Amino acid sequence: DIVMTQSPDSLAVSLGERATINCKSSQSVLSSSNNKNYFAWYQQKAGQPPKLLIYWASTRESGVPDRFSGSGSGTDFTLTISSLQAEDVAVYFCQQYYSTPFTFGPGTKVDIK
Amino acid sequence: QVQLVQSGAEVRKPGSSVKVSCKASGGTFSSYAVSWVRQAPGQGLEWMGGIIPISGTTSYAQRFQGRVTITTDESTSTAYMELNSLRSEDTAMYYCARRGPTGAFDLWGQGTMVTISS
């Protein structure tokens, strides 16, 4: 199984400041056939199901604000919230969908400082 | 706009079974796979398995193999997840999710809380 790790476990950022979350996979999730990373980021607010933010490691899902961006390739990935808003308070999960079992990171809780 | 609508909360005794449904409202699953993901209280997300409705092909996480069965009824655009031999550790929110054209889980049900209690 591909193990996903995230850092930090939690972070508190002032409104308007940048938040950065890292995720590592135990194996590469980059496909040699199409050069795509089978990697996604999800946001989960309290009492709600997860919501897809980023797929292919760096492509924003339709409707996701452009303050959210994803980067990285292979085994190391980053989610950046360029200017934190109050509505961004949530837990953020990374996921690999390269091979089954599809695995998620343990989550990073983002709060307002 | 397709939505995934799940059945309501369930309470079961240890050793029993539970079957949760997930209906594609306003559309169908089309050719996309449907997965089941669970989340124990205050914990992370755990993929249990999935199915490609058009073919019925299933894939299960090893730790649930033999205890979980995922099926679909294409006539009603409904997916089902049945979990047997329930134990207290199975208390969790169970989500269905559509694996969209990119492979990521682009559509999620609202979740079904399953509580195991004697």
Side-chain angles (χ1 to χ4, degrees):
Chain A
D1 297 3
I2 298 176
V3 177
M4 309 297 286
T5 56
Q6 285 183 237
S7 62
D9 295 334
S10 64
L11 75 162
V13 175
S14 300
L15 288 171
E17 295 301 303
R18 178 184 300 256
T20 302
I21 301 169
N22 299 299
C23 180
K24 276 185 183 288
S25 59
S26 61
Q27 300 169 219
S28 175
V29 297
L30 175 64
S31 170
S32 56
S33 62
N34 61 7
N35 204 39
K36 288 187 184 298
N37 288 282
Y38 284 66
F39 180 92
W41 288 101
Y42 299 85
Q43 175 193 65
Q44 187 178 33
K45 296 182 179 179
Q48 296 183 19
K51 172 189 171 186
L52 176 64
L53 291 179
I54 303 279
Y55 59 90
W56 297 142
S58 60
T59 303
R60 262 189 309 275
E61 174 74 334
S62 175
V64 172
D66 61 7
R67 63 180 180 273
F68 291 93
S69 64
S71 63
S73 183
T75 61
D76 291 87
F77 302 91
T78 300
L79 175 69
T80 302
I81 309 172
S82 61
S83 175
L84 192 76
Q85 305 299 303
E87 61 266 32
D88 301 335
V89 168
V91 179
Y92 293 81
F93 295 95
C94 59
Q95 182 213 21
Q96 66 80 18
Y97 51 98
Y98 181 81
S99 65
T100 58
F102 302 131
T103 46
F104 295 85
T108 295
K109 186 177 182 192
V110 174
D111 223 326
I112 306 294
K113 188 187 291 183
Chain B
Q1 186 84 356
V2 178
Q3 288 185 301
L4 301 183
V5 180
Q6 297 183 223
S7 48
E10 304 272 12
V11 179
R12 290 286 185 273
K13 292 193 183 304
S16 67
S17 300
V18 69
K19 191 170 185 176
V20 180
S21 69
C22 168
K23 182 176 174 58
S25 173
T28 67
F29 293 118
S30 299
S31 58
Y32 302 130
V34 177
S35 277
W36 288 88
V37 176
R38 79 176 187 180
Q39 186 172 37
Q43 302 300 308
L45 301 167
E46 182 174 31
W47 183 79
M48 300 177 68
I51 188 167
I52 301 173
I54 203 166
S55 65
T57 303
T58 54
S59 175
Y60 300 118
Q62 182 75 20
R63 63 170 296 191
F64 296 104
Q65 197 85 30
R67 212 161 64 92
V68 68
T69 305
I70 297 173
T71 56
T72 55
D73 181 344
E74 286 224 24
S75 67
T76 59
S77 297
T78 303
Y80 299 91
M81 186 283 300
E82 183 170 24
L83 189 61
N84 303 315
S85 303
L86 292 167
R87 35 210 189 229
S88 58
E89 311 89 88
D90 294 318
T91 292
M93 184 71 80
Y94 289 78
Y95 295 103
C96 62
R98 184 184 77 174
R99 199 174 171 212
T102 67
F105 295 179
D106 65 351
L107 200 57
W108 293 70
Q110 83 276 21
T112 296
M113 186 67 206
V114 176
T115 303
I116 313 306
S117 173
S118 54

